[in-house]
Amino acid sequence: MHCSNNLKQIGLAMHSYADTFKTLPPGAICLASEGDITSNTHDADEFPREAYWTATWATMLLPFLEQANLHAQYDFNSVVADNEVVTQVEVAGFVCPSDSSSLNFTQDSHNCSKGNYAAAVNTDDTYNRRDWGDPFFRGPFNPRYQYGAKFRDITDGTSNTILVGEILKCSMGTIQEGDSRGAWAHPAGSLFALNGDSTQNPFNASDHGGINSDARLAGNDNRDYPGYCDNSVVDDAQLSCNDTRSEFANILMRSRHPGGAMSVLADGSVRFLSETGDKQMLFRMIAIGDGQVISDF
């Protein structure tokens, strides 16, 4: 119930933000000029993230989650690492009590508190330019284009589209300070995508990791590929990770709730999604304008 209420409040905050700015918040903001951006298909590594990335969708929502004072302290002209007075703060509304506590993400001069909710980016890869340009893949948020959808862009219907879903933060192992998953103020930890392999069509491939998938199984698509990960947690069925393909930077929906994970849809409703559900349905619920029919879920 606590987790459901957190997501309900995030959904209401999304709508309040959209009422104010006529669009959803961007996945993240990048201070790089267009001249710094190459034409690479995968571009998470085309320039150092810590040198350019600043606020995330979660940072943008703070005033709408009764955290206006925290938001006022954030310098939007500076990068994440220079805003630790804000980023190190644990925001209770971003934490699911079913997940265990964890240390902050502190690698590369960052100090970011961790939570359990991430915004849906693409059905394929977090930073993939092609994904954003193709409505078959495009989700409601994108960090590379500093994009947050307008509700009119969600042509598949707001009741069929995931805005934010649960993820797990690394809270075990020996160097969890170096794992970005769940870092709500950092783009590497606050966004989720599903596939991590753009060579496959996510609506046809059968080996993608779904909700609460066993990340220790053979096959890359069962594990997370955050920008920074701690793979010392190999004893945890859900938290095995790899950062060697950080240009993909996908994080899967995962939860400590038995049987599935919570999400908030674009209409503001909170839904529990079964881990045994149709994986292709999950992909369709992230794509905002693919025109695919959504059946009962």
Side-chain angles (χ1 to χ4, degrees):
M1 290 296 294
H2 192 147
C3 184
S4 175
N5 184 64
N6 284 350
L7 283 166
K8 183 66 175 178
Q9 296 307 311
I10 289 173
L12 290 172
M14 288 284 190
H15 277 259
S16 295
Y17 185 100
D19 287 343
T20 302
F21 297 104
K22 311 307 177 186
T23 183
L24 292 169
I29 295 177
C30 183
L31 298 178
S33 67
E34 192 63 30
D36 294 317
I37 301 175
T38 71
S39 59
N40 293 343
T41 300
H42 301 291
D43 45 26
D45 291 337
E46 66 186 29
F47 47 77
R49 284 182 293 266
E50 59 272 13
Y52 293 99
W53 290 114
T54 181
T56 67
W57 64 273
T59 316
M60 301 291 191
L61 284 191
L62 289 174
F64 304 98
L65 292 167
E66 301 182 350
Q67 296 288 342
N69 290 338
L70 196 59
H71 181 269
Q73 297 177 66
Y74 198 94
D75 182 359
F76 290 88
N77 294 312
S78 297
V79 295
V80 175
D82 294 336
N83 275 287
E84 68 172 19
V85 66
V86 174
T87 65
Q88 68 181 333
V89 176
E90 181 176 278
V91 177
F94 293 150
V95 178
C96 175
S98 296
D99 199 10
S100 56
S101 61
S102 65
L103 300 176
N104 284 8
F105 167 58
T106 58
Q107 187 167 317
D108 293 343
S109 301
H110 296 108
N111 187 358
C112 298
S113 178
K114 296 179 184 179
N116 294 102
Y117 307 116
V121 188
N122 302 312
T123 60
D124 189 17
D125 304 334
T126 302
Y127 298 97
N128 192 322
R129 287 178 175 275
R130 184 208 64 187
D131 286 0
W132 184 87
D134 187 341
F136 195 69
F137 294 89
R138 184 185 302 171
F141 305 95
N142 190 280
R144 193 52 262 129
Y145 287 92
Q146 304 178 75
Y147 171 78
K150 296 179 173 64
F151 281 117
R152 70 187 184 200
D153 298 334
I154 305 176
T155 57
D156 286 347
T158 56
S159 62
N160 298 323
T161 303
I162 297 173
L163 291 185
V164 174
E166 279 191 275
I167 63 170
L168 291 179
K169 55 182 181 287
C170 181
S171 55
M172 300 173 60
T174 57
I175 55 170
Q176 60 264 46
E177 301 98 322
D179 194 303
S180 61
R181 283 174 289 184
W184 61 266
H186 198 293
S190 61
L191 305 165
F192 82 89
L194 296 178
N195 179 14
D197 186 352
S198 65
T199 63
Q200 301 184 64
N201 182 329
F203 299 108
N204 293 331
S206 60
D207 62 342
H208 305 305
I211 295 173
N212 293 348
S213 64
D214 189 336
R216 301 167 301 179
L217 297 176
N220 290 333
D221 295 314
N222 289 303
R223 66 182 62 175
D224 287 340
Y225 287 84
Y228 305 82
C229 82
D230 171 17
N231 203 32
S232 67
V233 293
V234 291
D235 56 331
D236 190 313
Q238 298 190 71
L239 282 174
S240 181
C241 66
N242 194 322
D243 62 0
T244 59
R245 295 196 301 169
S246 58
E247 71 271 19
F248 299 105
N250 65 308
I251 299 174
L252 298 176
M253 280 186 67
R254 305 185 194 277
S255 170
R256 299 298 182 192
H257 304 307
M262 306 289 292
S263 66
V264 62
L265 306 185
D267 66 355
S269 63
V270 176
R271 298 295 298 265
F272 183 80
L273 302 179
S274 172
E275 63 190 36
T276 61
D278 182 359
K279 294 178 184 178
Q280 280 66 43
M281 188 66 64
L282 183 61
F283 301 136
R284 294 188 180 111
M285 292 179 70
I286 292 176
I288 64 175
D290 64 334
Q292 300 292 307
V293 176
I294 299 290
S295 60
D296 188 36
F297 52 88

